Amino acid sequence: MLVLNKFRAWLGILLCGIAGFCPMLKVPIKGNWNLYQSDARLFLITYAIIAISVLFLFIRKVGAFKFMSFVMAIWYVLAVVAVYFTANNYTKYGFANKLIGKVVHFQWGWIVLLVGVIFMLFSIKKTQLEVKS
């Protein structure tokens, strides 16, 4: 039987929701970029996953929420890799890519998103039912 710790689940969802507006990248001339400014599709897909997770939490589908937590964890890894490769392969010129890769830095918003994903993942545990005879 799956048991859901609602406090951890809501805290994880809240942190994931807040993380989209935290600084994700530091771009030299333009300043800090959040998830929407770095890639709008990445932002929309992230918030779609969060919205579906909230829906499953409201209708008390613990197995589906667990699945969406794993989807969010996989999506986090894919997002970090995608943003890293986008920053390092922004143009078709090798010199410009190396220069852009050195000046664009990841910010603390990724850590907030990671903590939110970890809270979502560890909000569900499997327990055995006790049978009293």
Side-chain angles (χ1 to χ4, degrees), residues 21 27 33-34 37-38 50 52 55 71 73 106-108 113:
F21 298 103
V27 181
W33 283 4
N34 59 20
Q37 291 168 325
S38 63
I50 292 170
I52 294 169
L55 175 70
V71 168
F106 283 82
Q107 290 287 32
W108 54 272
L113 186 60

Side-chain angles (χ1 to χ4, degrees), residues 41 45 58 83 102:
R41 289 174 289 183
I45 294 171
F58 270 127
V83 170
K102 289 182 181 177

Side-chain angles (χ1 to χ4, degrees), residues 1-128:
M1 178 173 156
L2 295 174
V3 177
L4 176 69
N5 184 335
K6 289 183 182 180
F7 178 74
R8 284 188 198 158
W10 282 113
L11 185 62
I13 287 173
L14 181 68
L15 285 174
C16 288
I18 291 171
F21 298 103
C22 293
M24 295 287 193
L25 294 174
K26 183 175 183 180
V27 181
I29 295 173
K30 295 191 176 191
N32 293 328
W33 283 4
N34 59 20
L35 196 59
Y36 180 74
Q37 291 168 325
S38 63
D39 190 1
R41 289 174 289 183
L42 190 69
F43 176 81
L44 293 174
I45 294 171
T46 302
Y47 277 91
I49 293 171
I50 292 170
I52 294 169
S53 299
V54 168
L55 175 70
F56 288 145
L57 198 56
F58 270 127
I59 62 174
R60 298 180 183 161
K61 297 290 184 184
V62 180
F65 181 79
K66 182 179 180 180
F67 174 74
M68 290 309 293
S69 298
F70 283 116
V71 168
M72 187 67 183
I74 292 168
W75 181 249
Y76 172 80
V77 172
L78 288 175
V80 170
V81 170
V83 170
Y84 175 78
F85 281 120
T86 301
N88 289 321
N89 295 317
Y90 195 71
T91 65
K92 59 184 172 182
Y93 304 109
F95 173 74
N97 286 336
K98 289 179 185 176
L99 183 64
I100 291 171
K102 289 182 181 177
V103 297
V104 173
H105 300 288
F106 283 82
Q107 290 287 32
W108 54 272
W110 291 105
I111 296 171
V112 175
L113 186 60
L114 177 64
V115 170
V117 169
I118 289 172
F119 270 115
M120 285 176 66
L121 281 173
F122 290 114
S123 66
I124 300 168
K125 65 180 179 178
K126 196 173 199 176
T127 60
Q128 292 264 336

